[in-house]
Amino acid sequence: MTAKPDSSNSSGGMADASGPAERVLSGIQPTGVLHIGNYFGAIKQHLEYQDRYAGEAFYFIADYHALTTVKDPEEMGRLVRGVALDYLALGLDPDKATFYRQSDLPEVCELTWILGCVTGVGLLDRAVAYKDKVRQGIAASVGLYIYPLLQAADILIVRSSLVPVGQDQAQHLEITRDIAGSFNAAYDCDLFPRPKTILNDAAVVPGMDGQKMSKSYDNTVPIFASEDEIAARVKRVKTSSTPLGEPIDPGTDIVYQLYRLFASQEDADAMSRAYRAGEMGYGASKGLLQAAMVSYFEPYRDRRHELEGDLDYVEDVLRQGAERAREEARLTLDLAREYVGLAARTTTGAAR
Ligand code: AMP
């Protein structure tokens, strides 16, 4: 997978993917069980970036954001824990990446307010994700409406310069750049960088029904599904009515689209050739897909089991991540307060 800098960013430049001064940040919403669309479309890239930007990669579990849709407190706890376990099992390394819960950084809420005071209503009115979510039936709350503002605060509070996201988040990054620019212009400063979007150009992962894999469509395969669950889900993958012995077009076949994510190039080519020659039917290809899915995540599954038995460790990672992120957040917030003319903080020991 490769990442391309978004040349449309308003600072005009291309993201410098090698500069040591860069800081990467991305949030993960705990709104469902993470699935293989999330893995190939986001998580894999986050893990690559923790190596490339070791020490300067910030990843957080966006529980404040999830409040817009998750209304059951127990479910919230379960989902946050699930994301933490998944990321740590898949290879998130707390020595390289700062990993924290968004709500452990209450400073983002204060910055959201300060930024909200330099943000025009029209900017948020143009956010298409809000309209899409309301169309999907999510309550049109103020929280959902100002979601991009909170997102801007998440990014700007650690003054992150690179934000790897999927295409669905590209507009929110434009909004963040606008907000950063508005603050800097209003207070004649350069406190906030204009963060660059790093678009993940991984293909959209199809779900079992061929639509984009998404929890909203109930067509996902969870990363840590059990073998039986994987078998049941693969069985449900939609296929054409091509009779056995007839050629199958791999270009339109969902089994093949999924298989090539997990298989080596050689194995994927072999399936493609056998399909075209009419030598492979769906029973055989689904068997290969199932085996490939199980073995791909096998090593991570063991690690996840271990972590499930050591939730104190998981909690420690998140707590230490929050401490590190809060140092940055307090520094930024103190500067922002000073620029806008709020009194120096008297209630916390903000280090400056
Ligand atoms: P979501 O929780 O659905 O907003 O997904 C979070 C991120 O995961 C997105 O911004 C994408 O980068 C990635 N993602 C989710 N579903 C898919 C998919 N079916 N194919 C590729 N990437 C996906």
Side-chain angles (χ1 to χ4, degrees):
M1 182 183 356
T2 55
K4 58 174 184 280
D6 176 11
S7 55
S8 70
N9 75 69
S10 58
S11 59
M14 299 284 278
D16 174 7
S18 60
E22 304 283 22
R23 172 169 292 168
V24 178
L25 172 137
S26 203
I28 311 108
Q29 268 220 78
T31 48
V33 175
L34 295 176
H35 54 73
I36 61 172
N38 297 129
Y39 181 76
F40 289 103
I43 301 171
K44 204 162 170 253
Q45 190 184 32
H46 293 164
L47 297 175
E48 285 164 9
Y49 276 65
Q50 79 171 353
D51 293 328
R52 200 141 130 201
Y53 298 99
E56 293 297 340
F58 284 64
Y59 298 128
F60 66 94
I61 304 174
D63 52 355
Y64 279 149
H65 281 284
L67 274 181
T68 57
T69 52
V70 179
K71 304 296 182 188
D72 174 341
E74 276 172 23
E75 194 192 2
M76 177 68 89
R78 217 172 23 248
L79 290 169
V80 169
R81 200 163 43 250
V83 170
L85 285 167
D86 286 357
Y87 263 75
L88 289 169
L90 290 166
L92 185 131
D93 180 348
D95 288 334
K96 294 179 182 166
T98 302
F99 187 40
Y100 56 101
R101 252 185 311 249
Q102 183 184 28
S103 63
D104 284 341
L105 236 74
E107 288 81 3
V108 294
C109 290
E110 187 175 346
L111 186 62
T112 297
W113 179 255
I114 292 174
L115 295 176
C117 294
V118 294
T119 302
V121 171
L123 191 63
L124 297 188
D125 279 343
R126 288 193 287 279
V128 294
Y130 172 77
K131 291 171 198 143
D132 283 350
K133 287 186 172 179
V134 172
R135 253 195 304 272
Q136 284 167 25
I138 297 175
S141 63
V142 172
L144 190 66
Y145 184 74
I146 64 166
Y147 190 109
L149 190 58
L150 178 59
Q151 197 170 355
D154 294 326
I155 297 166
L156 298 177
I157 203 148
V158 297
R159 285 177 279 171
S160 163
S161 52
L162 299 173
V163 186
V165 286
Q167 181 62 49
D168 51 341
Q169 291 296 318
Q171 192 196 21
H172 286 174
L173 261 294
E174 280 169 28
I175 292 175
T176 298
R177 285 190 286 273
D178 280 353
I179 292 174
S182 299
F183 184 95
N184 291 349
Y187 295 101
D188 193 22
C189 65
D190 58 0
L191 177 60
F192 295 120
R194 290 171 179 253
K196 293 168 180 124
T197 309
I198 304 182
L199 279 183
N200 187 335
D201 62 3
V204 168
V205 177
M208 294 172 298
D209 57 358
Q211 297 186 81
K212 177 184 170 181
M213 184 175 287
S214 164
K215 58 186 173 290
S216 326
Y217 302 139
D218 189 25
N219 65 358
T220 66
V221 181
I223 297 169
F224 288 106
S226 66
E227 281 191 42
D228 287 350
E229 214 179 324
I230 290 175
R233 304 230 172 184
V234 168
K235 207 179 268 176
R236 276 174 55 199
V237 172
K238 202 166 137 193
T239 52
S240 72
S241 52
T242 311
L244 202 59
E246 292 291 313
I248 293 170
D249 176 8
T252 56
D253 178 56
I254 305 163
V255 180
Y256 175 76
Q257 302 305 320
L258 290 169
Y259 182 66
R260 66 179 184 173
L261 295 169
F262 297 95
S264 65
Q265 185 69 47
E266 208 182 340
D267 289 345
D269 289 347
M271 181 182 283
S272 172
R273 270 196 310 276
Y275 260 167
R276 288 186 198 283
E279 289 166 358
M280 185 178 282
Y282 295 119
S285 63
K286 284 188 172 185
L288 289 174
L289 173 61
Q290 185 188 322
M293 277 185 179
V294 170
S295 72
Y296 192 92
F297 290 117
E298 196 57 49
Y300 310 117
R301 201 168 284 134
D302 293 344
R303 175 75 182 129
R304 198 178 191 285
H305 280 308
E306 272 172 40
L307 289 165
E308 278 167 22
D310 195 359
L311 291 178
D312 287 348
Y313 166 78
V314 176
E315 193 51 40
D316 275 356
V317 168
L318 293 177
R319 226 188 334 252
Q320 282 170 23
E323 272 169 31
R324 157 99 176 91
R326 279 192 97 176
E327 282 170 24
E328 297 291 332
R330 287 183 171 150
L331 195 63
T332 306
L333 193 55
D334 282 359
L335 289 168
R337 286 174 64 108
E338 200 172 307
Y339 278 122
V340 303
L342 293 175
R345 187 182 304 280
T346 54
T347 51
T348 67
R352 275 200 48 215

